Amino acid sequence: QVQLVESGGGLVQAGGSLRLSCAASGRSFGSYNAGWFRQAPEKEREFVAAISRTGSITYYADSVKGRFTISRDNAKNTVYLQMNSLKPEDTAVYYCAATQRGVYIYSSGYDNWGQGTQVTVSS
């Protein structure tokens, strides 16, 4: 098990950028694949991006491809989500997740979750 803590959310104007961080506690975070999900009010949680243990494999939702970049620094036990060209429809609570199994694009594949960080994009 790892404890995950997200940070970096906030209020930004459309077209702006934010970088989210997900700090993991515990040893061997490098043995975990990680993902970012988001949930807007009255909507289901949806996949945003995922990254493998070494960072060699990444997946993105079509809605964020070309605008968001997932990366990780295992020496710092941290996964990042760089979000550029933000749109109002990106407004949501963003969650970090981790698993020692595969690299998944669905939430049920992950068994460790952070508490979420709010991202609000104004038009």
Side-chain angles (χ1 to χ4, degrees):
Q1 293 283 346
V2 289
Q3 305 292 323
L4 303 173
V5 179
E6 302 96 334
S7 62
L11 173 64
V12 64
Q13 289 188 332
S17 298
L18 283 174
R19 188 177 80 157
L20 305 184
S21 298
C22 173
S25 63
R27 302 182 300 173
S28 302
F29 183 60
S31 66
Y32 286 78
N33 300 300
W36 285 97
F37 291 77
R38 65 186 182 187
Q39 188 166 17
E42 300 182 356
K43 292 189 176 180
E44 292 190 355
R45 190 169 297 188
E46 66 174 2
F47 169 74
V48 176
I51 189 167
S52 62
R53 296 176 183 87
T54 62
S56 60
I57 298 171
T58 57
Y59 297 117
Y60 295 94
D62 287 344
S63 59
V64 306
K65 203 170 292 183
R67 299 188 298 122
F68 290 11
T69 302
I70 189 171
S71 62
R72 66 190 298 161
D73 185 341
N74 288 337
K76 296 182 178 180
N77 284 356
T78 303
V79 174
Y80 304 98
L81 185 68
Q82 178 67 44
M83 305 187 295
N84 299 328
S85 302
L86 282 160
K87 305 175 181 179
E89 50 264 44
D90 294 318
T91 295
V93 177
Y94 283 71
Y95 297 91
C96 176
T99 179
Q100 289 186 301
R101 296 177 290 169
V103 185
Y104 302 115
I105 65 171
Y106 47 89
S107 59
S108 60
Y110 294 86
D111 35 37
N112 298 275
W113 290 85
Q115 83 290 346
T117 185
Q118 176 71 47
V119 171
T120 303
V121 184
S122 62
S123 57

